[in-house]
């Protein structure tokens, strides 16, 4: 009897070792499988990103520092009164938004277009109003847009040129609509009036053509949101007196 009992105990021990080693294999297999599936997920994300947008947001030259004083409100090294002579914005160190501060920018009021969007997905935006005069307050570039899609939109930026009808002089500006998210179905009005204390208000250069030329002006606007094909439209300013500076 004792011999039989010892045999059964030995048999149970052998079975236990067998199952334990089997379990070890079983726990290893899913771990290997999860690593295999994780790899293509990362690759597909990278592919999507590079395929939809190549937009570049310029940033100020890190080798330059700003030194704000009473006479130089934006700290770009050009006194406020001299900015008027230069035709640059005394409230903004980088008037044209190209990433180079006014003092060292060879063309401080002419930015190259940095919007390099490759997406062909239509931007679900309708421009319901765009004006550069007859504003409710002091005249400035003002754009009202409606999100006609079913998703919230963000990542807006705009590039616009201003051309003088008589002299042919031209300026070009790039502006990022920082902090602007437009919910599906909603409208928003953006202003270029230097009133940066209010939401949806951005900088506008009243020392440039818009504020100094009495000739008719054409604004060619390129509006973009990340992942969508940009839309373009034109706004005209009639011949008349120059707008009030600042
Ligand atoms: Ca300045
Ligand atoms: Ca400036
Ligand atoms: Ca600049």
């Amino acid at each position: 009897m004792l011999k039989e009992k010892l045999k059964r105990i030995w048999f149970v021990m052998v079975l236990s070792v067998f199952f334990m080693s089997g379990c070890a294999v079983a726990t290893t297999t899913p771990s290997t499988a999860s690593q295999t599936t994780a790899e293509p997920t990362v690759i597909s994300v990278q592919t999507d990103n590079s395929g939809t947008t190549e937009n570049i947001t310029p940033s100020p030259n890190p080798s330059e520092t700003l030194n704000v004083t009473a006479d130089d409100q934006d700290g770009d090294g050009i006194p406020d009164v001299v900015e008027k002579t230069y035709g640059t914005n005394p409230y903004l160190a980088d008037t044209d938004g190209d990433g180079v501060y006014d003092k060292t920018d060879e063309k401080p009021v002419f930015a190259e277009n940095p919007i390099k969007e490759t997406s062909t997905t239509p931007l679900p935006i309708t421009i319901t109003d765009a004006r550069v005069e007859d504003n409710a307050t002091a005249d400035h570039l003002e754009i009202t847009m409606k999100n006609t899609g079913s998703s919230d939109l963000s990542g807006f930026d705009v590039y616009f040129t201003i051309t003088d009808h008589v002299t042919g002089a031209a300026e070009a500006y790039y502006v990022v609509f920082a902090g602007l998210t437009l919910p599906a179905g909603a409208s928003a009005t953006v202003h270029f009036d230097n009133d940066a204390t209010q939401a949806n208000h951005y900088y506008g250069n009243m020392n440039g053509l818009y504020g100094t030329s009495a000739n008719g002006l054409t604004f060619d606007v390129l509006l973009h949101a990340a992942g969508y094909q940009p839309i373009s439209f034109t706004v005209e300013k009639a011949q008349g007196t120059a707008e009030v500076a600042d």
Side-chain angles (χ1 to χ4, degrees):
M1 284 297 288
L2 181 60
K3 194 175 180 183
E4 283 298 313
K5 199 171 181 178
L6 284 172
K7 266 187 178 176
R8 282 204 296 275
I9 290 171
W10 174 249
F11 182 68
V12 169
M13 286 175 68
V14 170
L15 273 181
S16 299
V17 169
F18 176 78
F19 276 115
M20 283 174 71
S21 57
C23 284
V25 172
T27 53
T28 302
T29 304
S31 173
T32 305
S34 67
Q35 287 173 9
T36 305
T37 53
E39 197 172 343
T41 303
V42 173
I43 291 170
S44 68
V45 169
Q46 289 172 339
T47 303
D48 286 344
N49 281 347
S50 60
T52 54
T53 177
E54 294 177 4
N55 185 41
I56 300 166
T57 301
S59 57
N61 185 341
S63 66
E64 296 184 73
T65 55
L66 297 176
N67 182 27
V68 175
T69 65
D71 298 329
D72 181 11
Q73 296 184 58
D74 58 10
D76 62 2
I78 306 174
D80 294 353
V81 291
V82 181
E83 298 238 24
K84 193 164 188 171
T85 309
Y86 279 15
T88 49
N89 191 338
Y91 307 114
L92 187 60
D94 179 13
T95 295
D96 60 4
D98 66 353
V100 181
Y101 291 143
D102 291 343
K103 193 171 183 180
T104 51
D105 195 337
E106 290 184 4
K107 296 179 179 177
V109 291
F110 200 100
E112 297 298 324
N113 181 8
I115 300 172
K116 308 294 182 191
E117 181 63 73
T118 58
S119 172
T120 54
T121 303
L123 179 62
I125 285 285
T126 297
I127 303 299
T128 55
D129 187 48
R131 62 180 63 199
V132 292
E133 52 192 347
D134 301 324
N135 302 69
T137 57
D139 288 351
H140 57 271
L141 173 59
E142 174 181 336
I143 301 168
T144 302
M145 54 188 182
K146 180 177 184 180
N147 181 353
T148 57
S150 55
S151 303
D152 296 356
L153 292 172
S154 60
F156 285 101
D157 50 5
V158 68
Y159 177 77
F160 64 94
T161 60
I162 306 173
T163 307
D164 189 301
H165 292 183
V166 177
T167 67
E171 297 176 350
Y173 300 89
Y174 174 68
V175 180
V176 175
F177 292 165
L180 175 61
T181 296
L182 192 56
S187 291
T189 300
V190 293
H191 303 263
F192 299 78
D193 60 356
N194 290 324
D195 190 1
T197 59
Q198 294 192 62
N200 300 344
H201 286 248
Y202 303 95
Y203 290 97
N205 183 19
M206 299 306 176
N207 285 341
L209 282 173
Y210 180 60
T212 60
S213 174
N215 301 323
L217 302 172
T218 297
F219 287 63
D220 290 301
V221 184
L222 187 69
L223 178 67
H224 169 246
Y228 294 92
Q229 189 172 22
I231 59 174
S232 59
F233 54 94
T234 298
V235 192
E236 296 287 347
K237 175 184 173 291
Q239 179 181 348
T241 56
E243 301 303 327
V244 178
D246 312 327

